């Protein structure tokens, strides 16, 4: 009988992709996935270390499995992801019931680690090995899949923003060879995928030398656009300094590249940007936005923001608000600064929690208004929707527009994976409603 694997994924989309690949790799060990930890033979937490809260969640979650482990001594408990990388053996000291700790660059060694762990034996691997883990991970099985998929093309970060743990947990920037990415994309499309989101911590820093010379992200996107049956391409997350001319141009010329871009700026104050080691200014960011909009006037922009970075004054914060006003975001993610051990900013004196709270509220109110305005502006327009699943009402289908808005429409004969034109008739809290054209 197959053993059961319960994976819980925290954090970013790259973790979602990694969890899929880990489940496949463990499939070779006779595991199949289960939706509940209660009947699992192995529990794997794929963790996030980006902010303190995210990391602490892991320990409280592990605490909840104590009872299960007591009932079922054969149960294997593993911690993967960025907390595993950052804390390593410390996790087993804090939570002795953990059998296995594996960092993001060692997932291809997971089957071997799993075999070693358990019955009192511990397995730990937080190396940054030379070999490409994706080469050694079991191939995605041939089963059909949903219409959208993530595909990691680049990992790691060399930017060293002074607040961020990613360069330490995910290591240096590494890009996968273009041909591998193209082959994997073809394979996904053969199995029903119509939209692929290319992933990387710094995805637009993608760079690989290989067959046919140098590959940039823009060139990769153009090559992927040649795949019949692949209808949509997205990519995330990007750094402003890697928004190259050819990538900006691709937004205007490549039809399969969707008019949506997540381009974090973090702050609108040049002083804070400098202290964050972002290596760009508010002005240079705004110029990029201008050029993107010249290439693709309807592009919907998304951003990340941090409030209360050490040394941030009210005047600095006002500049962040001004930048947000100037850009007009359709989507956004905003956070209170959270000191991360080992990062340069963690050495600096913090802004008070009250100020952080108050600024976050003001920023989020503005961003919420912008998001709602962008959504409301869709009413009366025609969008194309990739249907992903039936809606809550009989005959309804739900999916995403090219701008990544959730859209539902009465479409009783439309199947999963179909792309249909929809005229938007209503804008609700978190989604749009429309009718088939
Ligand atoms: N504190 C708060 N937010 C952070 N982010 C990264 N590190 C921190 C931190 N220490 C945010 C940034 C980044 C997003 C993924 O998470 O905005 O773009
Ligand atoms: Fe972190 Fe900056 Fe790298 Fe993004 S670019 S992963 S925020 S260090």
């Amino acid at each position: 009988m197959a053993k059961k694997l319960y994976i819980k994924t925290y954090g970013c989309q790259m973790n979602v992709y990694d969890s899929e690949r880990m489940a496949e790799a463990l499939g070779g060990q006779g595991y199949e996935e289960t939706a509940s930890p209660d009947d699992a033979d192995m529990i794997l937490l794929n963790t996030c270390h980006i902010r303190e809260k995210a990391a602490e969640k892991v320990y409280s979650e592990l605490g909840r499995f104590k009872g299960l482990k007591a009932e079922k001594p054969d149960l294997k408990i593993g911690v993967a992801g960025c907390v595993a990388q950052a804390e390593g053996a410390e996790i087993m000291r804090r939570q002795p019931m953990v059998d296995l700790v594996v960092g993001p660059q060692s997932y291809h060694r997971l089957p071997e680690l799993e075999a070693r762990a358990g019955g009192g034996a511990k397995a730990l691997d937080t190396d940054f090995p030379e070999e490409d883990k994706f080469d050694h991970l079991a191939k995605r099985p041939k089963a059909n899949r949903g219409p959208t998929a993530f595909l990691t093309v680049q990992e790691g970060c060399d930017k060293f923003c002074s607040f961020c743990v990613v360069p330490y947990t995910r290591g240096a920037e590494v890009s996968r060879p273009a041909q591998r990415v193209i082959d994997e994309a073809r394979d996904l499309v053969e199995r029903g995928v119509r939209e692929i989101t290319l992933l990387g911590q710094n995805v637009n820093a993608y760079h690989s030398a290989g067959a046919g010379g140098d590959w940039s992200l823009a060139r990769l996107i153009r090559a992927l656009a040649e795949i019949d049956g692949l209808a949509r391409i997205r990519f995330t997350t990007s750094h402003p300094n890697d928004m190259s001319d050819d990538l900006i141009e691709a937004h205007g010329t490549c039809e399969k590249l969707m008019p949506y871009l997540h381009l974090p700026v973090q702050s609108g104050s040049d002083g804070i940007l400098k202290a964050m080691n972002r290596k760009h200014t508010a002005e240079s960011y705004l110029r990029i936005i201008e050029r993107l909009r010249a290439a693709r006037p309807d592009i919907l922009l998304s951003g990340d923001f941090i409030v209360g970075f050490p040394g941030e004054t009210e005047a600095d914060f006002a500049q962040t608000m001004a930048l947000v006003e100037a850009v007009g975001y359709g989507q956004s993610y905003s956070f209170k600064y959270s000191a991360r051990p080992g990062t340069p900013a963690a050495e600096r004196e913090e802004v008070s929690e009250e100020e952080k709270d108050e600024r976050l509220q003001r920023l989020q109110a503005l961003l919420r208004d912008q998001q709602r305005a962008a959504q409301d502006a869709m009413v009366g327009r025609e969008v194309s929707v990739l249907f992903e699943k039936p809606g809550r009402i009989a005959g309804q289908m739900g999916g995403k527009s090219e701008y990544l808005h959730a859209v539902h429409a009465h479409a009783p004969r439309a199947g999963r994976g179909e792309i249909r034109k929809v005229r938007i008739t209503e804008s609700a809290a978190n989604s749009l409603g429309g009718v088939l054209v």
Side-chain angles (χ1 to χ4, degrees), residues 63-240:
R64 299 205 303 135
F65 297 140
K66 244 186 203 138
L68 271 179
K69 180 90 174 184
E71 274 170 37
K72 213 177 176 182
D74 288 344
L75 172 67
K76 295 183 186 181
I77 298 184
V79 178
C82 291
V83 175
Q85 189 63 43
E87 311 226 319
E90 175 63 20
I91 298 172
M92 288 156 168
R93 274 194 288 276
R94 259 180 87 172
Q95 291 286 3
M97 83 257 205
V98 172
D99 304 288
L100 182 160
V101 171
V102 59
Q105 301 315 326
S106 303
Y107 291 157
H108 53 303
R109 298 180 179 161
L110 187 58
E112 179 223 325
L113 295 167
E114 186 277 338
R116 257 201 285 143
K122 308 272 179 200
L124 171 92
D125 193 336
T126 52
D127 289 349
F128 287 103
E130 284 289 308
E131 72 264 27
D132 177 356
K133 67 176 172 192
F134 294 113
D135 277 359
H136 295 82
L137 272 172
K139 244 179 97 103
R140 292 176 165 212
K142 289 285 172 201
N144 285 347
R145 21 180 321 147
T148 64
F150 295 131
L151 203 178
T152 292
V153 301
Q154 180 279 338
E155 255 193 286
C157 181
D158 298 338
K159 301 281 190 295
F160 290 92
C161 296
S162 62
F163 51 82
C164 184
V165 287
V166 165
Y168 311 96
T169 57
R170 291 272 173 173
E173 281 176 13
V174 179
S175 298
R176 296 177 67 195
Q179 199 52 52
R180 297 262 162 67
V181 173
I182 295 167
D183 291 345
E184 190 170 330
R186 275 190 207 288
D187 181 64
L188 289 168
V189 171
E190 273 168 27
R191 288 151 55 203
V193 169
R194 314 248 15 233
E195 172 179 308
I196 292 180
T197 302
L198 305 174
L199 298 182
Q201 262 97 28
N202 251 297
V203 72
N204 58 341
Y206 178 87
H207 177 87
S208 97
D214 281 350
W215 288 78
S216 63
L217 184 67
R219 183 171 172 203
L220 182 64
I221 289 168
R222 287 209 181 83
L224 293 170
E226 302 282 311
I227 299 177
D228 282 339
L230 179 62
R232 294 174 155 195
I233 302 169
R234 304 180 186 276
F235 62 90
T236 196
T237 286
S238 296
H239 191 287

Side-chain angles (χ1 to χ4, degrees), residues 305-327:
F305 304 89
I306 296 178
V307 301
F309 183 82
E312 186 188 75
T313 62
E314 191 50 40
D316 291 316
F317 177 68
Q319 290 178 331
T320 299
M321 296 289 276
L323 180 138
V324 171
E325 294 275 11
V327 173

